[in-house]
Every structure is written in structure tokens, then in C-alpha cells.
Amino acid sequence: MGELFRSEEMTLAQLFLQSEAAYCCVSELGELGKVQFRDLNPDVNVFQRKFVNEVRRCEEMDRKLRFVEKEIKKASIPILDTGENPEVPFPRDMIDLEANFEKIENELKEINTNQEALKRNFLELTELKFILRKTQQFFDEAQLHHHQQMADPDLLEESSSLLEPSEMGRGAPLRLGFVAGVINRERIPTFERMLWRVCRGNVFLRQAEIENPLEDPVTGDSVHKSVFIIFFQGDQLKNRVKKICEGFRASLYPCPETPQERKEMAAGVNTRIDDLQMVLNQTEDHRQRVLQAAAKTIRVWFIKVRKMKAIYHTLNLCNIDVTQKCLIAEVWCPVADLDSIQFALRRGTEHSGSTVPSILNRMQTNQTPPTYNKTNKFTDGFQNLVDAYGIGSYREINPAPYTIITFPFLFAVMFGDFGHGILMTLFAVWMVVRESRILSQKAENELFTMVFSGRYIILLMGLFSVYTGLIYNDCFSKALNLFGSSWSVRPMFTSPKANWTEDLLKHAPVLQLDPDVNGVFNGPYPIGIDPIWSIATNKLTFLNSFKMKMSVILGIIHMLFGVTLSLLNHIYFKKPLNIYLGFIPEMIFMASLFGYLVILILFKWCAYDAATSKSAPSLLIHFINMFLFNYSDKSLPMLYSGQKGLQCFLVVCAILCVPWMLAVKPIMLRQQYLRRKHLGTHNFGGIRVGNGPTEEDAEIIQHDQLSMHSEEGEELTSQFSYQQDFLVISSAEVAKEESDVPMVTVELFDFGDVVVHQAIHTIEYCLGCISNTASYLRLWALSLAHAQLSEVLWTMVMHVGLNVRSLGGGILLVFVFAAFSTLTIAILLIMEGLSAFLHALRLHWVEFQNKFYVGTGFKFMPFSFEIIREGRFDD
């Protein structure tokens, strides 16, 4: 249970894997997903590593599978996903997989090539069919026109038979040549203008649209085309026309001149089209069968290939022993999972058939381990909120468990509405109940996926909003009268102030309830705010005062809790210097000023009742006078006896904490440094020899880690320490493994840097206490904004439908309620909910976590097949 509040304890381990068993062992570790491999060959080019050929073969297989997948999706064939997790193929199975994928790829390429050629031929024949049909229509229209204009049959025959200019004899009547073709419909206007300009108006163009769109054989898209026929005279115009047609990518087809020839050609074209359509159908059926067979197993193939690729990529991170029989790997792993890791290594060795067991050896290191926080489906969303700010430093306190409660609660303080909270809860409950079905569907909508991953956050936000809505007594801007008002709207007639006549109640727009009248105020409301405030004219004034004080109280408690968590870090990392010179003055400073303000608020609520509330002094004036030591104003009564002396004492304590934080720590660090330096010079001639810093030396805090490698493989490392520590670098030059030379510690200390850093921290903390407290007033501001928006929406929309008291009003109410529901979801749930979410996130990241959370670690990224199993292949 303790590991929930801190990251897992990690260790650096060395693995010795036999060459024949390395593949299976890494495979088992990938299935387990508990180790992070380190690259032991950082200076070796990726193309010069041992298993680069195997990685290339896997990439080639992956490419072929992506091609097959693309063809399956193009054919709109569903890919079967049974959720199966196939075992990793053995290296010897790679040849069979390659041959199988090669066969499928070649078969599909051959089918596609043949199909494309058939479709191109089919398109040409189809276009030719339409050309013959449309040109026949052109000539039929021309004959009809000539029949109407001229009665001479000889002239009609001459004008209908079009011959080439070369066939015209001297003195023969004028004959015109023509070309026919097909062009994309959108190019017709430009094509016509170009013909007119280039040929100077000496051509005649007729065009007609093809009703049915034609399929492009390459892209498969539908293209709208038109048939055209161009009449011209002479070879010169003929050449110009053909060049223009080439420029506009128009397809020209031979068209016979006589109707009989066109009819015979059309019959032959239709026969060929029918035969070609039959061949195309058979080809498409064969292609569908191949793709359907591949769709059943392509997901399993993807998983197998990418698991193999991941294994070989991981093996490239290992060192190879000089005997070429052993691979050496270094991994980060949780200490709690060492037994399961060793069991996985044993299982991998058995699968490979090796008789030599793999060895796991824990190593001692000065390097900072990665941060690993175990999560489940409930805590994962909250951990992601924390990690979005920064990955926690190794083994420091984890804010996520506390965020599970504080984040939805602060959200609900700003969002508090009983009705809106119920709607949000119902939406979250729907996602939680159907989570298995939604996960199996693998929705591709990125926005919904993000919302779904935070379903438990939304669930708690909705539940807390229901609670705060009851406290505010606010449900869609209306109060709920659950227990009856504690204010009596019918005052006792025995009181002289209670003579409210029936006529007065009917005509007076505003009446005042005096809480000082006996019998009017019947004690506090059982839960939340009395519903009578919803009709009071001073409702906003009352709620503002209540919510502002509540925001200050919650904010200061939240910050004090954050400072308290820093104590747990100091204790865990054994930093007493940080406790005495950091935590204690910080806590005194905040508690003596802002903690006292919380006590004043609670005291005023308890000390003054309805009878004495009018004489209650202003807390804001008291708090300002406390800082100014101004107690000369006798018109401002004290809250309690001895207030002046206590407040002066608290301010003096807070002022004394500033030099305590500012100067004492740098001076003590300098004294420790001088003492260590003196001891080292006295005992070892200026160089201290030992096994590293002692526990007392650990009090010299460090911020940065230096890591260098010399040409001989020696390593210069330094330790990290915790937040608000200073630049005191203890470096250790580690000798070679074979040597028995002890470590040499060289210490660096810059007093000026330490003073500057501590001054920055002190100023930041002291001013931050003021600014952070003011920042929590956003709880009040967002709550006020949400309540007012809800009230405006009810008044401007819903109230309109409720005011019409007739049958038409009932019909109108249906449409008004639809508009009200839409605006409620869009504005109050989505927009206001997102606003409150972001402000709650800021309060945790800035005001809460900066008191104890460093967030300078790096995340534990284990080698795992989980991403591949989930089907997120592109990650």
C-alpha cells in the first residue's frame, strides 16, 4: 500500500543471456513488460549492429503487410480482430513468413496490374461507345436541319458525307474533316476558348455530356466526361486541333464517316464490352477472395512481425561477449518484480532448448533510476494529470493519490450544481458500464478517446458536483426546498413587527424578514443553504461573502497540506537540514499569517449570531491592520480580548522566518563545506579518499548530476538530491573494475550561487503565499459565473415557454426545452465544465504541487508488447 504514495523502488540489473536463448528470453520479458533496456552501444551506428539484417527483414515484411492492409481497406473488407495474442515466432519461422507474404504481395500486384489494364481497356471501349452514339446524334440532327432548310436531296447528301481535304478534286464542293474524342467535363469551357483563339474561329465544336460517370482505372474515382466533335478544313487546322487536344489530355478515337460503318463498329464495341465486363467480374471475385482470406489473419501477422522486430531491436541494445556466445544487457526494473523477471528468463531458456540458464545480477550504481508508478484503470487518469506537469523525481512523494479526492472536489466547488452534476455523473456511468464494449470497438475519434480515458475523473467530478450542488442548493439555477425553510414567511402575530396584512402581501414587491424577531429564524437549515435565499434581493451579496471565505479556507488548507507533504520527503531522503531550515520556517510563516486568517473566519462565524451580526467588524480591515500594526482606530472593535498582542506576536514570528529561510541555510552549508575541506586536507593532503559521502555529508544538498566518460571508460558521476537544495556537487571518479584504487571525491562549492538560489526560493515562497491564496479565489469566481450563467439561461430561454399559459404554450415549451437542453449541454456542461477543469488543474500544478513536488524525473518505459497487442501499430 505504501508504494501507492511513492514510485516503485527500482534497481539496475545486468542480464547474461546465452546467444541461442537470448531471443526467447527477450520475448518473455516483452510479454511481462517490467524491464527497461539501456543502450550499451550508444556510439555504434544503427547499421553496424549485429541484428540489423534481421531488423531489415522484419521491416520488409511489415511493409508488405501494410500494402495488403491498404488493399483490404480499399476494398472495404472488415479486418477480423479476435483479440488473440499470438506467440512470437521462432527465428527459423521467419523464412516461411517471408515466403508467404511475398506470395500474397506478388499475387495482389499481379491482380491489380491485370485489373488496371482491363479497366483501362474497358474505359476506352466505353468512351468509344459513347462517341459513336453521340456523333450519330450530331449527324442525325444535321440531316434533320438540312431537311428543314433545303429541299435538294443531292446537296443534303453532299453536306452529310464528310471527306478529307486530300480527296477533294478541283472544283468539287466544300468538304470538312472532323475529329471526335472525350474530355473531362470541367475542362470544356477552357478547351472551347482555346480552340476559338488558336484556330481564329475556323473550327466548329459540338459537345455532349456523358450521363453516367466513368471510373478512373488508376485511382478508382468517378470522373464526369463529355464527348466532343470538332469540324475543320485543311491539314493545318487539323494539326492545331490535335495539339490542343493533347494539351488538354483529351482522348481522341477514330470515328467512321458513314452511318453504316459507325453502326457496325458500335455493335463490335458492345460485344467487346460485354466480354470484358465478364472478365473484370471474375478478376474482382478472385481479388476479393484473396483479400478476405488475408483479412482473417492480417492482425495476427502484424503482431508476430512487430514482436519479432521489437525483439531484434532490443537485442541490438546489448553487448556481445568476446566469446560470441553470450549477450550482456543492462535493464532498469522494479525490485518487487525481480522474482517474476527471473521466472520469465527461466521460461525463455526452456523454450529455446538451451541448457545454460540466464543470469540476472543486481548492480550498484550512482545513476538516477526512472520513475515508475503502478496504476490501474481507476488511478491511471489521475496519474496522467500529474505526469502532464512533470514526471516525479525518483521516490519522491506522489501527488496522484491525493489528487483523486482534491481535484474533483475543487472542480465541484467551481461547478457546483445538483442538476448538472447528475447529468455529468450519468454520462460517466454510461462510459464505465460500457467500457469493455467501447474498448473493443477501438474508436478512432481522438476527442472521444481522450474523454473516455478520463471516465473515472468525470465520474468523481459529477458525484462531487452533486454534493456541492446540494450545499449551494442549486439545481439548474433553482433552489430545492427539501426540508422546508428555516425562515418563517408567516411571522408570529404577537410581534409588533409582524403585522403583515393580506393586502400588503399582495401588493408589496419586496418584504424584509428580520432575523432578530423571535420565531422567525428556526435554527440552521439541515444541509446547505436555505432555499429562502433564492428569492431574496440580497442573495448575491450573501453568496459572494460565503463563497469568498470558503475559497480562502479551502485554499489555505490545501497549501498547508502541500507543505506538510514536503516534510515526508525530507524525512524519507534523510535531510534534517531541510526540515529545520526549510519546512519549519515555511510552516510557521504560512500558519502565523494565513492560518490565522482561517481561524478568524471560523471564529467570526461562531461568535456572531443573527442578533449581533450587524456589529461584526470587517475581517479584511483587521487583517490589513495586523500587518501595519495599526490599532489606533477605536471605532473598529476587537474580535476577542488579547487580539492585539497575539497578532503582533504572529507578525513578528512571520518576519523572523524570512531571515531564517534566507541566511541560515547557506551559512550552515558553508560551515559544513569548510569542515569537510579541513578534514580532507589534514588527513589526506588535500584529497579525501573514501567510498563516497557519509550521512553527514549528505546534508550538503545537490541539484545537478554530472556524468562524463573518459577515453579509458571511467565515469564521473554525481548524486541528485531533493528540492530546494543547492549547488554543491560531489563528484566521484570511479576506477576500473579490475583495479582496487579507491574513489576520489572532489567537492565544489560556490557560496554566491547558494545565496542567490536561496534568496530566490525565499522570495518566491513568501510572495507565493500571498499570490497563491488570492489564486484560490477563482473557486469563488468560477462558482459565481456558473450560477449566473445557469440563471440567465433559465430566465432567457426556459422562462419564455413557461410564461405562455395555453395550449400553444405547451407546444412552444417542447421547442423551448429542446433549445434549453442544447444550450445547457453546450455552454454549462461542456464549456463551463472545461473551464472549471482547467482552473482546478492549475490550482494543483501551481498552488499545491510547488510546495513539495519537483517533477524532474524521467518515466519508466518498459519493453512491452502491450502496445502491439492493443493494435496501436503506428505508435
Side-chain angles (χ1 to χ4, degrees), residues 612-677:
T612 59
S613 59
K614 293 182 179 179
S615 62
S618 170
L619 291 183
L620 181 61
I621 302 300
H622 271 287
F623 199 58
I624 294 174
N625 289 339
M626 173 181 171
F627 286 96
L628 300 177
F629 294 95
N630 181 13
Y631 300 97
S632 59
D633 188 2
K634 302 301 180 182
S635 62
L636 186 66
M638 292 293 177
L639 289 166
Y640 57 90
S641 59
Q643 179 182 354
K644 177 180 178 181
L646 178 60
Q647 290 185 167
C648 292
F649 172 75
L650 292 177
V651 173
V652 170
C653 288
I655 293 174
L656 290 177
C657 288
V658 175
W660 188 353
M661 290 185 287
L662 182 64
V664 177
K665 193 170 185 177
I667 293 173
M668 291 196 65
L669 288 174
R670 185 172 184 276
Q671 291 296 329
Q672 287 189 1
Y673 167 72
L674 293 176
R675 177 173 56 84
R676 289 160 54 87
K677 183 178 179 182

Side-chain angles (χ1 to χ4, degrees), residues 205-217:
L205 171 69
R206 290 293 305 274
Q207 60 92 15
E209 295 181 355
I210 299 177
E211 296 80 8
N212 302 325
L214 305 178
E215 181 183 354
D216 191 308

Side-chain angles (χ1 to χ4, degrees), residues 277-332:
Q277 184 66 54
M278 186 183 302
V279 176
L280 273 172
N281 292 338
Q282 293 176 352
T283 305
E284 182 62 26
D285 290 342
H286 178 55
R287 182 172 180 271
Q288 288 287 328
R289 286 194 297 271
V290 173
L291 292 177
Q292 286 174 356
K296 294 178 181 178
T297 55
I298 190 168
R299 181 184 177 275
V300 174
W301 288 340
F302 261 126
I303 293 176
K304 287 183 177 181
V305 170
R306 295 191 175 181
K307 281 185 177 181
M308 294 174 67
K309 180 181 174 182
I311 292 172
Y312 284 119
H313 176 73
T314 304
L315 290 175
N316 276 333
L317 305 178
C318 304
N319 266 338
I320 301 176
D321 187 69
V322 291
T323 61
Q324 301 288 321
K325 295 182 180 180
C326 179
L327 272 73
I328 303 173
E330 289 184 7
V331 297
W332 290 109

